[in-house]
């Protein structure tokens, strides 16, 4: 016993006394104009946002606090922007076929480090990556969450689910090469799709993305119609929901979009061709539309340029899709469909995500509605409304600012002057 007492005394002498717990520092942001809750549309003037430990702790009338003060008294301050459709580890181009053969998941992750930084600096504090190689995107997401890398918070779907022979199956290669490039997210038949859904979630997916129709950038002439059977889509949705994950679908043609919504799917990406039944189903299911007008705008330009380097099959589909997207979004919006902001950045260049705002306004949204799509709506769509989308006590301190008034000219959001994510400043 005595030996233990001596050992304990020696250890006590060796160990430094515990330092008194340090109060995290408070930062006071002086906001000249403040859209704290885009849902209300109310713009406050001369308010202080107190931030501590990565969270918003208080909103106060007037400019108060001293010490660590951020002077945005000449700026318009709003919640960090959310893009619910990116592929942050690559950018598409006419050399995609070669890139897919050459790039390892490590290459993708390292490119992702670069694109993540410029996306955050453009004011996007949260993104959903809806289709990227598991090893690359999960490592990038986790590295950012651990504070090793600068970037937006990422919610990641991992590899998108596609049927064999569907748009997720590598096309345009000799058979043996195409087989090597296949990802583990191809499935055929309801049971197989249940297995792949479970495996994708087990591997680390925050949400499930499926490719419900043909895709513009898949190098086949198979069109843009439904590729999964109704039964396969039901199996995926039921399995994902049972495991607490939402399911979003890439969808161009109305028939497939309607089948996915009938299967209980949570949201549609692109929504190029919507009919009256689609709009009815969106509303009945409280589902979200993520229009990705910027992708439509980008591929239309490729489609019209015979020297773009893209194959004739791709250019033909691009010209079918691009011009219809704005019209479909206009009809959906007029019909009361809930819209969440997403760009499909990778088709367009990373860091230019905010160009989507101007296109949403062209499709009939007011500037305030476009801002709601990228804040409160996207947060709700992604299941994080209790953490993000508004500037309020208890929320993550994700805050951006612009010069000028985005409610008068939404395109000022293409030039953010201040970015804070989880209480840390990345642009000032
Ligand atoms: Zn996409």
């Amino acid at each position: 016993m005595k030996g233990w007492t001596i050992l304990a005394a020696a250890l006590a002498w060796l160990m430094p006394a515990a330092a008194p717990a340090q109060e995290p520092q408070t930062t006071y942001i002086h906001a000249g104009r403040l859209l704290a809750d885009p849902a209300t549309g109310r713009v406050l003037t001369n308010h202080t946002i107190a931030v501590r430990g990565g969270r918003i702790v208080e909103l106060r009338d007037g400019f108060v606090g001293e010490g660590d003060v951020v002077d945005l008294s000449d700026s318009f301050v709003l919640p960090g922007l959310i893009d619910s459709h990116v592929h942050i580890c690559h950018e598409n181009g006419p050399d995609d076929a070669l890139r897919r053969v050459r790039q390892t998941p490590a290459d993708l992750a390292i490119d992702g480090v670069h694109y993540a930084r410029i996306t955050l600096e453009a004011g996007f504090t949260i993104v959903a990556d809806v289709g990227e190689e598991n090893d690359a995107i999960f490592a990038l997401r986790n590295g950012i969450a651990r504070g090793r890398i600068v970037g937006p918070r990422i919610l990641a779907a991992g590899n998108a689910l596609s049927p064999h022979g569907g748009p997720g199956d590598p096309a345009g290669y000799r058979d043996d090469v195409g087989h090597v490039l296949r990802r583990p997210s191809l499935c055929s038949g309801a049971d197989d799709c249940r297995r792949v859904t479970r495996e994708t979630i087990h591997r680390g997916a925050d949400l499930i993305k499926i490719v419900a129709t043909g895709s513009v950038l898949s190098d086949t002439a198979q069109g843009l119609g439904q590729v999964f059977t109704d039964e396969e889509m039901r199996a995926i949705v039921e399995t994902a929901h049972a495991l607490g994950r939402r399911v979003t679908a890439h969808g161009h043609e109305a028939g497939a979009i309607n089948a996915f919504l009938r299967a209980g799917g949570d949201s549609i990406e692109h929504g190029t061709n919507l009919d009256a039944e689609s709009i009815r189903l969106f509303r009945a299911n409280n589902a979200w539309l993520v229009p990705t007008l910027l992708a439509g705008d980008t591929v239309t330009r490729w489609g019209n340029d015979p020297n773009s380097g893209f194959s004739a099959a791709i250019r033909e589909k691009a010209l079918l899709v691009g011009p219809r997207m704005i019209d479909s979004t206009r009809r959906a919006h007029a019909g009361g469909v809930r819209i969440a902001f997403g760009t499909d950045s990778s088709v367009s260049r990373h860091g230019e995500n905010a160009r989507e705002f101007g296109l949403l306004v062209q499709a009939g949204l007011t500037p305030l509605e476009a801002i709601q799509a990228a804040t409160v709506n996207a947060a709700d769509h992604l299941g994080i409304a209790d953490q993000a989308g508004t500037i309020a006590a208890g929320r993550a301190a994700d805050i951006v600012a612009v010069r000028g008034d985005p409610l008068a000219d939404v395109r000022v959001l293409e030039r953010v002057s201040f970015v804070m994510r989880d209480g840390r400043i990345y642009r000032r």
Side-chain angles (χ1 to χ4, degrees), residues 183-198:
R183 294 177 183 161
S185 56
L186 298 183
C187 63
S188 295
D191 274 347
D192 195 33
C193 289
R194 285 190 193 95
R195 174 184 66 79
V196 168
T197 305
R198 281 193 288 266

Side-chain angles (χ1 to χ4, degrees), residues 276-348:
E277 174 66 357
S278 322
I279 290 172
R280 190 192 70 74
L281 284 164
F282 268 109
R283 294 188 53 167
N285 296 7
N286 243 346
W288 294 94
L289 172 65
V290 182
T292 70
L293 301 176
L294 184 51
D297 186 72
T298 307
V299 300
T300 302
R301 253 176 263 159
W302 294 344
N304 280 320
D305 177 5
N307 300 316
S308 64
F310 287 97
S311 71
I314 289 177
R315 280 192 292 120
E316 193 175 315
K317 287 183 286 182
L319 287 177
L320 273 177
V321 160
R324 290 194 202 162
M325 277 186 175
I326 286 211
D327 177 57
S328 233
T329 302
R330 181 178 291 115
R331 285 185 292 110
H333 175 248
V337 174
R338 305 195 297 170
I339 291 174
F341 185 103
T343 58
D344 210 355
S345 289
S346 72
V347 178
S348 56

Side-chain angles (χ1 to χ4, degrees), residues 152-169:
R153 176 180 166 191
I154 296 177
L155 302 174
N159 285 315
L161 274 61
S162 160
H164 293 86
D169 204 347

Side-chain angles (χ1 to χ4, degrees), residues 126-138:
I126 298 177
V127 300
D129 188 290
V130 293
E132 194 60 87
E133 291 208 30
N134 289 345
D135 281 339
I137 191 62
F138 295 148

